[in-house]
Each structure stands twice: as structure tokens, then as C-alpha cells.
């Protein structure tokens, strides 16, 4: 970013990417290398970064980025502010103002700009993640936990957000939980004109009945329900609606089996205990989207998040991210 010649800057980025890939191949696969390579992947083919479609704002951003790289924070702040004058909804300018104020140890203003960036685009993860890192370094682990969770909700299918959450957990001295119902990788698959159910052979009779109910619901969706629910979509795909119905059906069968047992039995199978907990907490859909998605289900995430952001955050707080331990 300190190079004024954009062609030279693009070549430098290409060279950097080569070294990062070489380092990863040789075993240096650290979180920093992973994050830098992800950033590289989002670059245009010509390697040129464009910060705004408004030329004046783009120039101001380039000047500010160059100043920040030289630790000239006063000029960096002036440049980002100028960019926002030209382009008031420039997310990057707001995020980078947060960075500049953080470098100056003006933490309240840094938080203000990270929050402002998040309001500009609540579905972008960077401002939440940077804010979480800043709060963690400041010792505000409770506040950092909230921001790290919000980063995951913004972009759950980016490895960066989960790495950020893991950094927070390490700083807090806790371990993240990764809920898993233990279903086979492909519990129900099409094989030509047939639909095949794959059940784990070591399941108990109770678990076998529960997961068979799950599988039969999936079969129904593959045969008829998908075309009913999505008449304008000609090709079947696995959806959030299908998986939610299948898991809720399995949970209902489990509850019925428990109620019929004499005396009433308590389920001890960890996967069934988790299924019941998720069902009773009304957290089946967040579990599917955040802990067990596939490419088909992931397509339903944005629409669900638009109406259920708080529920997604609540799932992570309850089932994935432990609270900050009390300090003696």
C-alpha cells in the first residue's frame, strides 16, 4: 500500500502470495498465513485493490492506507475521514478509522468506528472481528466474546471468523464446544433412481428408531416435498426447511419413546441428548446453519439471518461459546 505505482503494487502482492503458498506447503500453516491467503483470494485478477467506485474517495483511501503503513496515524485518520466525505457508506474507511485510533490508544473512538462500520454493513465480519481483537487486548473479554460471536453470525462460512473466536477462547482460557449429532456424512443419498438410507450400524434400538424417522422425512422431501415447497426450482437441493423438519421429527419420536418407556427412561446417548436439548431450546435451525451446514443449506443462511440474527447469537452463546470464567 506504500507503492504509488499500482502495477508495481500488484506485482508485489503476487510475489507475497507466492511466498505465502510456499510457506504453507513447507508447513508454516499458521492462522496469520491462512488469513492473508484468504485476503489474497478476494483480490481482482490484476491484483489492484479498489476501495471505492468514487475516484476521489479511492484516492483518499490509498493515501490513508499508505500513511497507516508508515505509522503516520494522523494523516491516515485524515485520509479515511476524507474518503468518508466523498463516500459516506464506505465500510472499509470506517473499519480502518477504528484501526488507526486503536494504534493511537484512543480506544473509545476506536470502538465507536468499529460499531459505526458494523451498522453500515451488519453482514460483513471484519469490524466485529477487529473490535473483538481490540477488546481482548484491552482485557474486556466479556465484550470481546459478544463481538467475536457477532463476527461468526455475520459470516459463518469464513474460516477467519471461527479463528477469531478461537483466539478469544484461548485468551479467556476456555475451550469452544462443537455440537455434533453424529449423523453419517451422507445419511440419505440418491443412487440413480433409488434413494439409499445409511444408518450407523452401532446405534442402539432407540437411536435407530429416532434416526430412521429422520431419514424417512428426508426421503419424503427428496421424492415429493421439495417440489411442493419449491415449485419454481427444478433441481432438488438439500434445504434448511428439509433438515429442520427431519431433525424435529426425530426429536418428537425420541420424546414419544421416552414417554412410553416403563419406568420413564432418561436418554444417555450423547447425540440423542443433544438432539433433545436443541429441540427443547428451539435451536434446531441455528444448529443446522452454524454447526452442520452443507452447500445446499448454506444457500438459506442469508434469508434466515435477516429475520433471526439474535437467535443465531443466542445459539452460539448457549451451545458453542462458554461464558468468561469468574476471576478469583
Amino acid at each position: 500500500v506504500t507503492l504509488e505505482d499500482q502495477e508495481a503494487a500488484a506485482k508485489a502482492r503476487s510475489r507475497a502470495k507466492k511466498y505465502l503458498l510456499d510457506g504453507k506447503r513447507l508447513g508454516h500453516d499458521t492462522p496469520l498465513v491462512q488469513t492473508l491467503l484468504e485476503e489474497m483470494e478476494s483480490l481482482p485478477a490484476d491484483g489492484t485493490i479498489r476501495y471505492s467506485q468514487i475516484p476521489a474517495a479511492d484516492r483518499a483511501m490509498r493515501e490513508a492506507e499508505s500513511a497507516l503503513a508508515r505509522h503516520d496515524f494522523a494523516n491516515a485518520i485524515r485520509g479515511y475521514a476524507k474518503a468518508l466525505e466523498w463516500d459516506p457508506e464506505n465500510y472499509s474507511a470506517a473499519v480502518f478509522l477504528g484501526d488507526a485510533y486503536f494504534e493511537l490508544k484512543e480506544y473509545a473512538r476506536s470502538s465507536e468506528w468499529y460499531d459505526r462500520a458494523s451498522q453500515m454493513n451488519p453482514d460483513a465480519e471484519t469490524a466485529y472481528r477487529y473490535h473483538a481483537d481490540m477488546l481482548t487486548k484491552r482485557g474486556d473479554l466479556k465484550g470481546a466474546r459478544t463481538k467475536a460471536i457477532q463476527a461468526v453470525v455475520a459470516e459463518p462460512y469464513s474460516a477467519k471468523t471461527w479463528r477469531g473466536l478461537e483466539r478469544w477462547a484461548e485468551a479467556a482460557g476456555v475451550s469452544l464446544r462443537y455440537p455434533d449429532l453424529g449423523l453419517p456424512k451422507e445419511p440419505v443419498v440418491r443412487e440413480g433412481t433409488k434413494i439409499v438410507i445409511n444408518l450407523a450400524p452401532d446405534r442402539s434400538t432407540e437411536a435407530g428408531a429416532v434416526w430412521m424417522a429422520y431419514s424417512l422425512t428426508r426421503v419424503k422431501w427428496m421424492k415429493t416435498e421439495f417440489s411442493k415447497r419449491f415449485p419454481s426450482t427444478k433441481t432438488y437441493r438439500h434445504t434448511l426447511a428439509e433438515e429442520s423438519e427431519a431433525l424435529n421429527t426425530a426429536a418428537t419420536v425420541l420424546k414419544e419413546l421416552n414417554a412410553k418407556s416403563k419406568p420413564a427412561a432418561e436418554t444417555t446417548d450423547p447425540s440423542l441428548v443433544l438432539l433433545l436439548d436443541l429441540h427443547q431450546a428451539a435451536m434446531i435451525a441455528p444448529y443446522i446453519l452454524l454447526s452442520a451446514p452443507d452447500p445446499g443449506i448454506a444457500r438459506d443462511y442469508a434469508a434466515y439471518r435477516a429475520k433471526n440474527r439474535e437467535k443465531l447469537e443466542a445459539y452460539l452463546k448457549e451451545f458453542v461459546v462458554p461464558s468468561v470464567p469468574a476471576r478469583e
Side-chain angles (χ1 to χ4, degrees):
V1 295
T2 60
L3 297 174
E4 293 184 11
D5 182 335
Q6 291 308 301
E7 185 177 348
K11 288 180 179 178
R13 290 189 188 100
S14 295
R15 189 179 180 205
K17 183 177 181 179
K18 176 186 179 300
Y19 284 131
L20 287 165
L21 289 169
D22 286 347
K24 183 177 180 179
R25 177 176 54 79
L26 293 167
H28 193 74
D29 193 18
T30 64
L32 177 59
V33 168
Q34 293 168 18
T35 298
L36 288 171
L37 281 170
E38 285 172 22
E39 297 288 353
M40 293 281 189
E41 289 303 322
S42 65
L43 286 174
D46 64 2
T48 301
I49 297 176
R50 292 174 181 82
Y51 299 98
S52 174
Q53 297 301 313
I54 300 170
D58 192 60
R59 284 194 299 273
M61 285 291 292
R62 292 184 190 285
E63 291 168 3
E65 282 287 86
S66 181
L68 189 73
R70 300 192 308 271
H71 289 197
D72 181 357
F73 301 119
N75 275 322
I77 288 169
R78 277 193 285 273
Y80 295 134
K82 180 64 72 175
L84 280 169
E85 288 178 18
W86 287 103
D87 186 0
E89 296 302 311
N90 193 303
Y91 176 82
S92 294
V95 172
F96 298 159
L97 271 166
D99 285 350
Y101 280 116
F102 174 62
E103 294 290 351
L104 290 173
K105 297 183 172 54
E106 294 187 30
Y107 303 117
R109 299 195 76 177
S110 178
S111 287
E112 176 188 335
W113 280 105
Y114 287 141
D115 283 338
R116 194 176 300 187
S118 297
Q119 290 162 12
M120 287 179 180
N121 187 353
D123 299 333
E125 62 84 25
T126 310
Y128 299 117
R129 179 164 53 89
Y130 285 12
H131 201 170
D133 286 345
M134 186 271 280
L135 292 172
T136 298
K137 290 172 184 173
R138 295 285 297 147
D140 181 2
L141 293 172
K142 185 176 180 181
R145 176 177 181 262
T146 296
K147 296 301 176 184
I149 285 170
Q150 289 173 337
V152 171
V153 170
E155 296 188 40
Y157 308 135
S158 166
K160 288 182 290 188
T161 59
W162 289 97
R163 285 199 298 270
L165 198 54
E166 288 165 357
R167 283 198 303 275
W168 171 85
E170 185 178 356
V174 299
S175 297
L176 300 180
R177 300 183 290 265
Y178 293 98
D180 183 3
L181 289 172
L183 286 166
K185 187 174 182 182
E186 293 185 314
V188 183
V189 294
R190 284 185 182 274
E191 291 185 1
T193 58
K194 296 188 299 182
I195 297 175
V196 178
I197 294 174
N198 297 314
L199 289 178
D202 57 346
R203 294 288 195 187
S204 65
T205 302
E206 179 188 42
V210 169
W211 296 123
M212 180 57 76
Y214 162 88
S215 298
L216 290 174
T217 304
R218 294 277 316 270
V219 170
K220 177 189 72 171
W221 270 81
M222 287 181 171
K223 286 184 172 179
T224 60
E225 195 67 20
F226 179 83
S227 59
K228 288 180 185 177
R229 298 280 193 97
F230 301 92
S232 62
T233 305
K234 301 306 178 186
T235 305
Y236 163 83
R237 72 171 172 90
H238 192 195
T239 63
L240 174 63
E242 174 187 331
E243 190 69 8
S244 294
E245 183 178 327
L247 288 177
N248 279 307
T249 298
T252 300
V253 169
L254 176 58
K255 288 166 65 178
E256 291 171 353
L257 289 172
N258 286 347
K260 288 177 182 177
S261 62
K262 302 291 183 181
E266 268 208 37
T267 300
T268 57
D269 183 317
S271 66
L272 298 185
V273 171
L274 174 60
L275 175 65
L276 210 52
D277 287 346
L278 291 167
H279 179 70
Q280 290 172 343
M283 289 292 181
I284 290 285
Y287 163 80
I288 294 165
L289 290 164
L290 295 174
S291 296
D294 62 22
I297 285 171
R299 290 167 59 180
D300 296 324
Y301 182 76
Y304 184 88
R305 181 187 56 199
K307 296 180 179 179
N308 299 280
R309 186 179 294 270
E310 290 182 1
K311 193 167 188 176
L312 290 163
E313 291 182 21
Y315 167 75
L316 289 169
K317 289 175 180 177
E318 184 175 348
F319 286 91
V320 179
V321 188
S323 298
V324 179
R327 305 295 184 188
E328 295 185 3

